[in-house]
Amino acid sequence: MYTTRTLAIAVFVAVAHARFGQENSVQGIIGAIGGNNGQAATLAGASIGTLLAGANACAKLALADKVAALIGTGALDAAKALVVAEKNFNPFVVSIPSFCSDATLPATAALRGILPLVDPAVPGAAAANAASAASLAKPVNAKGLSVADIVKVNGSVNFTPQSSAGVVGAEVVAGGGAGGAVAAPASSAAAATTAARAATATAAATATAAPVATAAPASPPAAAAAGSLQTFTGALGAAANPITFSGDAKRPFQVKDATFVNFSAAAARTCDIQFNACADAANSGKAVAFADCNTQKTACTAAQAATTVTSFGAAGAAGAATKPASPSGNDASASEACPSQRIKRREEAEKRAVKSKKLALLRTILQKRAELALLEEQLL
């Protein structure tokens, strides 16, 4: 009887493709501290809410500071358990985890530099969780950095940063390298900042000088692969990767081995890759400061947003294609030919397809729940 019920539950979990139940992982550890006029029990109960899938990523860090301040054996270990704890993960809402971007949390020195655990189903989770376990014994350098910052440098999973106020930033690509970021000498930091500002000015000048086309470009030919849409010239750690034509009209933008539907996604990837290379340089003790890597990332993002060259032209060169001029209200054909409109329609179609798959999976889960409930009634 027990075996049959266990099997039914296992089937349901396999269909759900979600990992829940992590919210109770540290409640008992905190509660075991005891005393403190009941505060330990109160904080133990509060820990559940901070590990729910929809909880703010910074909430558990703020609570961990309160746990660390308790009087009693095991208080600091319990606080560390909360910092490292895996949050519930809901694949129906998000595809990647979120980490706190507030550099003031946790405020307790002994809790800083600990990398959080992630859902094992997330790509790169095995390496991320191994690094997390290692950071408990030997925290990474987190001076002036948030948990999101140290995951960016030391992690192996993509994620979204989230502030204490709940503001969510753009997706961060994994792969910053081993070890925490280190500060460079003041003189080198100043030089790097000057270089980043110069790169920003150059990119802005390039964007201003670029012509604006009056007609939408035709479908990009294979010859366009020789051109690059990259306009950012900053090179702290490494130059930004070129954005070339992939040869696929549906996903025309290529950065290294990845292809993208639209220019903005490809441009963001080049800024992320460059940031990771810059962080590696800072970690290895080269004349680059981590703060200047952030400055360059901001400059790169601004340059990509300002550029007018965002598609590949019929002439086969990147420079021949520019942002199309906005069509007049009665020029329906020009609006229809605009590549951005076609891309938007494709993206909307993809979103509808994903939503349809989610609904189908939800129906399957509900059906399995009903079957499980029926099975439990029969077993009882």
Side-chain angles (χ1 to χ4, degrees):
M1 181 181 295
Y2 177 80
T3 303
T4 304
R5 182 179 182 185
T6 302
L7 177 61
I9 295 174
V11 170
F12 168 68
V13 171
V15 171
H17 295 292
R19 182 176 168 90
F20 298 103
Q22 303 307 301
E23 69 274 12
N24 297 308
S25 61
V26 296
Q27 181 184 12
I29 300 174
I30 299 173
I33 300 170
N36 292 277
N37 295 320
Q39 286 192 31
T42 300
L43 296 179
S47 70
I48 296 175
T50 68
L51 297 178
L52 295 175
N56 186 294
C58 299
K60 70 170 186 171
L61 304 181
L63 188 66
D65 281 327
K66 296 180 180 179
V67 174
L70 293 175
I71 299 173
T73 304
L76 184 58
D77 287 339
K80 289 182 178 180
L82 182 55
V83 172
V84 79
E86 172 193 337
K87 281 181 59 184
N88 284 350
F89 186 76
N90 186 354
F92 294 108
V93 179
V94 294
S95 59
I96 54 176
S98 59
F99 300 124
C100 180
S101 61
D102 187 340
T104 66
L105 295 174
T108 307
L111 301 182
R112 297 185 66 81
I114 298 175
L115 298 165
L117 293 168
V118 297
D119 189 322
V122 175
N129 290 338
S132 173
S135 71
L136 268 177
K138 185 179 180 181
V140 301
N141 185 356
K143 184 177 181 180
L145 305 176
S146 66
V147 169
D149 290 331
I150 63 174
V151 172
K152 184 188 302 181
V153 176
N154 300 274
S156 57
V157 295
N158 292 4
F159 68 92
T160 51
Q162 184 180 35
S163 72
S164 297
V167 179
V168 178
E171 177 180 347
V172 174
V173 178
V182 296
S187 58
S188 63
T193 302
T194 301
R197 288 174 178 170
T200 306
T202 302
T206 301
T208 303
V212 177
T214 56
S219 299
S228 172
L229 300 177
Q230 183 61 259
T231 59
F232 185 62
T233 58
L236 290 179
N241 289 106
I243 304 172
T244 58
F245 179 55
S246 66
D248 180 359
K250 293 183 178 180
R251 300 180 66 87
F253 304 94
Q254 181 165 349
V255 177
K256 299 184 74 175
D257 295 329
T259 59
F260 303 86
V261 172
N262 54 54
F263 170 81
S264 60
R269 177 61 60 88
T270 67
C271 294
D272 289 333
I273 293 174
Q274 184 184 50
F275 174 84
N276 291 335
C278 184
D280 280 339
N283 289 334
S284 62
K286 296 181 181 179
V288 178
F290 189 77
D292 297 317
C293 296
N294 281 322
T295 300
Q296 178 174 254
K297 173 71 177 296
T298 300
C300 180
T301 302
Q304 306 294 9
T307 185
T308 57
V309 184
T310 60
S311 59
F312 297 93
T322 57
K323 287 181 179 177
S326 299
S328 62
N330 34 356
D331 189 356
S333 61
S335 176
E336 185 67 15
C338 179
S340 63
Q341 294 295 328
R342 293 197 298 271
I343 291 171
K344 183 177 180 180
R345 287 196 296 274
R346 282 198 297 269
E347 289 178 339
E348 290 175 348
E350 290 174 357
K351 289 179 180 179
R352 288 194 296 270
V354 171
K355 183 177 180 181
S356 178
K357 290 180 180 179
K358 288 181 177 179
L359 289 174
L361 181 57
L362 181 58
R363 284 194 291 270
T364 303
I365 292 173
L366 293 175
Q367 179 182 354
K368 292 298 179 182
R369 281 182 175 174
E371 293 174 359
L372 179 60
L374 179 62
L375 180 59
E376 287 180 334
E377 288 180 3
Q378 293 174 347
L379 293 174
L380 295 175

